[in-house]
Amino acid sequence: MRGYHGKVLEVDLTTKNFKEVEISERLLEAFVGGCGLGAALLYKRLNADLDPYSPEAPLAFVTGAFTGFSPFSGRHAVCGKSPLTGLWGESTVGGFFGVELKRFGVDALIITGKASKPTYLVLREGKVEFRDADHLWGKSVSETAEKVKEETDKKARVMCIGPAGERLVRFASVMDENHRAAGRTGMGAVMGSKNLKAIAVIGQKGLPEVADPNRVKELYSQCLEKINANPGKELWHTYGTLMYTTQGYELGDTPAKYFQEGVFPAFKISGEALIENYEVENEGCALCPVICGHRIRGVKMEYESVGSLGSTLGIYDLDYILDLTHICNEMGMDSISAGVSLGFTMYLSEKGVIKDGIQWGDGKRAIEVLRSVAFREGLGDLIAEGTLRMAQRLGIDHEEAACVKGLEIPMHDPRAFSMQALCYATGVRGACHMRSDYFTVDIAAAPIPEIGVVPTDRFEESEEKVRMMVNHQNAKEVWNSGVICMLGIFDINDLCAFYSAITGKEVKPQDIVALGEKSFMLKRMLNLKLGMSKEHEKLPQVILRPLKRGGTGGFVPDLQKTLKIYYSIRQIGEDGYPTQDKLSQIDIEDLIR
Amino acid sequence: MIVKAVLSALQFRKVLPHAERTLEISLPDNSTVKYVVQKLSEKVGIDIEELLKSKKVVIILKNRVLEYEEEADHKLSEGESLIFINPLIGG
């Protein structure tokens, strides 16, 4: 199929063997790439008994149909079994590695086995070198990436882990050389369990052929014109994703004090405050015409980090937040799970459950403890397990852990948007704001009217609203498979036009929904196989208490109601499985046998 | 009657310090959204209607995005809040 090499590179760290294996047309056509293709490639290798830290556990880096061809396609997916949730783990990440991996001549890289000692891989000229990484073990992300480039090629693109991945912190990330993070679900710990410190890729083969190169070129130019005319471009470039902080606050979307407060000094941690008080360097990913990345005194900063390491902890001093983010970036930890787990620690410290813990707003102590998380020292060893296991170990009701299926809730409060709550409950990787980011629909940031997804009352819980959410959840699977940035300018018409020109397969917006549904259902089947049940599809009580003050207006989502509608629309039975009719209709039966 | 306007969109940064972007406005009964927008425009010196028509800014009223072109004549009630935001994603 055009747009792909049709190959996966399989690397066994135990035997130091590697080989290229063909990917069937069937999979490429059905799953677009990225997270969807990753699930299809790994489906039969994952089961409930598999220890995600065992040598047999696979770790996949997967590009998509769009990678290297369209604007916003400088992303790839990192997938496997999550050590944090025990379920399907996936994370997409920006930067340059994905495009370079595709230029190397494969669509995906699957790593199994375990190196006998710290190792890094060099992918160059169709070959894989297994290099000693003893001297890199314990090094930060920046130090590792710099050294690997120095030892291989300045043009190499590097993904690596920091000390947190080495020590199997359950929310360790796989980091890009410029601190873009494949953060969620702990893929960095899987990499660490394999004694794999880094991967460097030098792509010399080039990108695969596309069906209509002239059309791709034409679409690219048109897309750039559209992006340049979009007022969001300048705002994102100037303020970064932090531009959302004050807006999120007004709507009650930005959480504070472990989701227990609705009123706080949001402006102090806003994009405006940042650019007024610091010098900002802009930084973008491959093929990005917006360049939203912000680096402040060396620290890559995003809205999610400001929320999780700032307001969630009652910290409103940007200097502390920068320092905390720096630790996550350099030690290789997901800032969302790290922040929420620190917030849980503060919450339990206030209740007297944790002695010598951390008090709300104590940035200095938070820095000290977060560092200890990366090295699993003292209190840090407990926090490194994530909120659900923390609750289990401390004998606390798991309803107090702000997570869904073990994945910590991100910085979009489910009490601010009814459908975001439903997304968290049913998300393929747990509480995830990117699968789907439904809040963007109800603020008119990224509705998809072509598939009937339009802004309505943000608290509405009607059947029609749930139907929109299902369509949105399906469609966003394709963004995450493409792998396309979700910033919002690249719309479903762009998606269809580029997909058709790249692959030669004509698609319309409704086909995108159908493609996404295959991906969603395959991952659901995979999660059921790994032990998920409908009982896991809920929000914890800690996040279902009405906030007396702030932008949520005291709203609490009625998940019992919306889930019932959701299962009916998705044709999911009492046992949590899609009906046979649904499986036949979406044509994935052969893949799940 | 009194309504609240929260000028959260970044276009207001240049004309008002953050602390002054939440306003309580005294209006005649049955005032429309359009009337509030005109009053606010005069106060802050920005053509807010243009921002709304070009969708650079949207108003959230009663928990939903107000379609300005169609609902400018919507009559406001005592105590309602209009939140002016940029329709943009953030992380």
Side-chain angles (χ1 to χ4, degrees):
Chain A
M1 192 169 169
R2 297 296 175 89
Y4 303 92
H5 293 288
K7 287 176 189 166
V8 56
L9 176 66
E10 296 257 11
V11 175
D12 185 333
L13 286 162
T14 307
T15 62
K16 294 190 178 178
N17 285 326
F18 64 92
K19 63 181 174 186
E20 285 185 1
V21 178
E22 199 174 311
I23 307 174
S24 70
E25 290 270 321
R26 159 96 174 99
L27 289 192
L28 293 175
E29 200 166 332
F31 294 105
V32 186
C35 295
L37 181 62
L41 289 169
L42 301 189
Y43 190 93
K44 288 177 182 165
R45 301 186 195 202
L46 303 180
N47 60 62
D49 296 328
L50 180 75
D51 176 354
Y53 295 148
S54 67
E56 296 75 31
L59 178 66
F61 295 75
V62 194
T63 66
F66 295 74
T67 309
F69 297 124
S70 77
F72 301 111
S73 71
R75 299 185 71 79
H76 69 282
V78 186
C79 319
K81 184 174 179 181
S82 168
L84 184 64
T85 68
L87 302 173
W88 169 244
E90 64 176 39
S91 195
T92 68
V93 54
F96 296 84
F97 184 92
V99 176
E100 201 69 9
L101 181 63
K102 203 160 173 181
R103 285 202 175 117
F104 171 79
V106 295
D107 301 302
L109 163 69
I110 298 179
I111 299 163
T112 49
K114 179 178 179 176
S116 57
K117 59 179 187 167
T119 295
Y120 76 92
L121 299 176
V122 184
L123 278 56
R124 180 164 41 193
E125 293 175 351
K127 295 195 173 69
V128 180
E129 286 176 61
F130 298 78
R131 292 199 183 182
D132 185 0
D134 265 335
H135 60 303
L136 300 175
W137 210 247
K139 299 277 187 215
S140 70
V141 166
S142 294
E143 290 169 326
T144 302
E146 194 182 329
K147 194 75 183 155
V148 167
K149 278 170 170 273
E150 189 186 306
E151 292 174 1
T152 56
D153 189 322
K154 288 283 175 209
K155 289 180 190 158
R157 295 301 183 179
V158 177
M159 293 291 289
C160 67
I161 57 169
E166 297 168 14
R167 284 163 181 80
L168 311 184
V169 171
R170 287 188 190 270
F171 44 81
S173 13
V174 183
M175 300 293 296
D176 153 78
E177 63 200 61
N178 293 321
H179 298 131
R180 296 262 171 195
R184 311 239 64 196
T185 71
M187 292 299 108
V190 176
M191 191 157 156
S193 75
K194 298 185 175 307
N195 275 335
L196 180 59
K197 180 68 178 174
I199 306 165
V201 60
I202 301 112
Q204 287 157 322
K205 185 167 178 179
L207 295 171
E209 285 183 7
V210 295
D212 188 343
N214 290 333
R215 180 72 179 138
V216 171
K217 211 171 159 185
E218 184 187 8
L219 286 169
Y220 203 106
S221 302
Q222 286 172 5
C223 207
L224 285 187
E225 272 178 43
K226 188 175 80 168
I227 293 158
N228 286 332
N230 188 311
K233 182 187 172 184
E234 190 198 332
L235 294 178
W236 275 311
H237 186 74
T238 307
Y239 299 99
T241 51
L242 267 74
M243 59 139 291
Y244 186 71
T245 313
T246 41
Q247 298 194 168
Y249 169 76
E250 296 297 343
L251 299 170
D253 197 31
T254 307
K257 282 193 167 181
Y258 194 61
F259 306 95
Q260 303 304 301
E261 290 274 350
V263 175
F264 59 92
F267 181 73
K268 286 187 176 179
I269 56 170
S270 67
E272 291 176 67
L274 198 78
I275 64 168
E276 280 169 13
N277 295 300
Y278 300 87
E279 200 166 311
V280 175
E281 287 173 66
N282 283 100
E283 227 174 57
C285 301
L287 301 157
C288 178
V290 170
I291 310 182
C292 73
H294 276 47
R295 194 174 283 278
I296 302 101
R297 58 169 173 77
V299 184
K300 175 80 176 34
M301 198 72 161
E302 298 288 350
Y303 164 76
E304 288 294 322
S305 307
V306 162
S308 58
L309 298 165
S311 54
T312 297
L313 311 181
I315 294 174
Y316 304 106
D317 180 330
L318 276 170
D319 271 324
Y320 281 130
I321 301 170
L322 280 163
D323 289 344
L324 288 162
T325 306
H326 185 63
I327 293 169
C328 283
N329 289 350
E330 288 294 9
M331 298 295 111
M333 291 187 283
D334 173 28
S335 62
I336 299 173
S337 284
V340 174
S341 299
L342 279 182
F344 192 31
T345 306
M346 291 177 166
Y347 177 76
L348 294 176
S349 300
E350 187 180 46
K351 289 181 182 301
V353 176
I354 293 180
K355 310 289 177 204
D356 301 321
I358 322 170
Q359 302 308 307
W360 296 116
D362 188 345
K364 200 173 165 192
R365 174 74 176 138
I367 287 168
E368 189 182 298
V369 174
L370 185 59
R371 225 184 279 280
S372 76
V373 174
F375 293 95
R376 277 192 172 271
E377 292 165 350
L379 179 59
D381 189 43
L382 173 72
I383 299 169
E385 293 290 286
T387 53
L388 189 59
R389 285 180 178 81
M390 283 174 74
Q392 285 163 352
R393 289 196 181 181
L394 293 166
I396 303 291
D397 185 351
H398 63 86
E399 295 286 349
E400 296 289 298
C403 64
V404 177
K405 300 171 193 164
L407 187 69
E408 281 70 26
I409 293 172
M411 298 301 108
H412 297 284
D413 196 308
R415 288 162 294 194
F417 295 92
S418 60
M419 289 304 107
Q420 202 58 52
L422 187 57
C423 292
Y424 288 167
T426 59
V428 292
R429 63 177 186 178
C432 166
H433 64 295
M434 305 299 281
R435 290 162 182 74
S436 69
D437 51 345
Y438 201 89
F439 71 99
T440 68
V441 175
D442 282 341
I443 60 166
I448 318 180
E450 295 84 352
I451 56 169
V453 179
V454 293
T456 57
D457 186 316
R458 64 187 172 124
F459 299 143
E460 188 183 325
E461 295 177 317
S462 66
E463 182 175 336
E464 188 47 40
K465 182 100 174 184
V466 176
R467 199 174 292 283
M468 286 197 274
M469 178 272 181
V470 169
N471 274 350
H472 194 258
Q473 195 175 39
N474 285 339
K476 289 296 168 152
E477 279 292 312
V478 180
W479 264 265
N480 285 312
S481 293
V483 185
I484 298 290
C485 176
M486 307 246 292
L487 205 53
I489 301 182
F490 199 85
D491 64 26
I492 200 162
N493 296 314
D494 299 319
L495 205 67
C496 290
F498 269 99
Y499 185 79
S500 302
I502 290 167
T503 65
K505 305 271 178 192
E506 286 294 323
V507 290
K508 296 193 164 50
Q510 276 304 333
D511 301 322
I512 294 294
V513 177
L515 273 170
E517 187 179 25
K518 275 185 210 289
S519 173
F520 178 86
M521 282 301 192
L522 183 85
K523 291 178 196 171
R524 183 173 182 88
M525 291 301 289
L526 182 48
N527 275 335
L528 290 164
K529 182 179 159 187
L530 297 179
M532 186 195 85
S533 70
K534 274 170 100 172
E535 281 66 48
H536 294 106
E537 295 188 309
K538 55 184 248 181
L539 296 184
Q541 283 303 315
V542 72
I543 202 129
L544 291 175
R545 294 172 194 141
L547 291 171
K548 289 180 185 148
R549 302 190 305 150
T552 64
F555 174 76
V556 174
D558 183 353
L559 266 180
Q560 218 174 351
K561 176 184 174 183
T562 53
L563 272 171
K564 194 175 169 193
I565 302 168
Y566 178 88
Y567 292 137
S568 165
I569 292 169
R570 283 226 179 260
Q571 296 178 46
I572 288 170
E574 283 301 313
D575 57 2
Y577 285 81
T579 62
Q580 196 55 49
D581 280 355
K582 175 53 74 176
L583 288 174
S584 302
Q585 181 207 324
I586 60 176
D587 190 24
I588 58 166
E589 288 164 297
D590 58 320
L591 304 172
I592 56 176
R593 261 184 226 121
Chain B
M1 67 174 179
I2 292 179
V3 299
K4 191 164 101 172
V6 182
L7 306 180
S8 191
L10 289 161
Q11 283 84 352
F12 297 109
R13 176 177 175 242
K14 288 172 187 160
V15 292
L16 282 178
H18 180 261
E20 294 172 28
R21 279 184 238 159
T22 298
L23 307 157
E24 289 203 335
I25 312 163
S26 186
L27 301 166
D29 284 351
N30 291 322
S31 291
T32 62
V33 172
K34 191 180 175 75
Y35 182 74
V36 176
V37 167
Q38 281 168 354
K39 285 279 165 205
L40 284 169
S41 296
E42 286 165 17
K43 182 174 175 59
V44 301
I46 289 181
D47 185 352
I48 300 175
E49 187 157 60
E50 192 279 322
L51 292 175
L52 292 165
K53 285 183 174 171
S54 61
K55 297 192 189 291
K56 289 176 183 164
V57 171
V58 297
I59 299 172
I60 307 272
L61 176 66
K62 289 194 216 164
N63 300 312
R64 68 174 182 85
V65 172
L66 184 124
E67 288 292 338
Y68 187 75
E69 297 268 31
E70 293 159 27
E71 299 179 275
D73 293 329
H74 173 85
K75 287 183 180 142
L76 293 164
S77 304
E78 170 74 31
E80 284 187 329
S81 289
L82 298 103
I83 307 172
F84 292 73
I85 63 165
N86 298 115
L88 294 173
I89 300 170

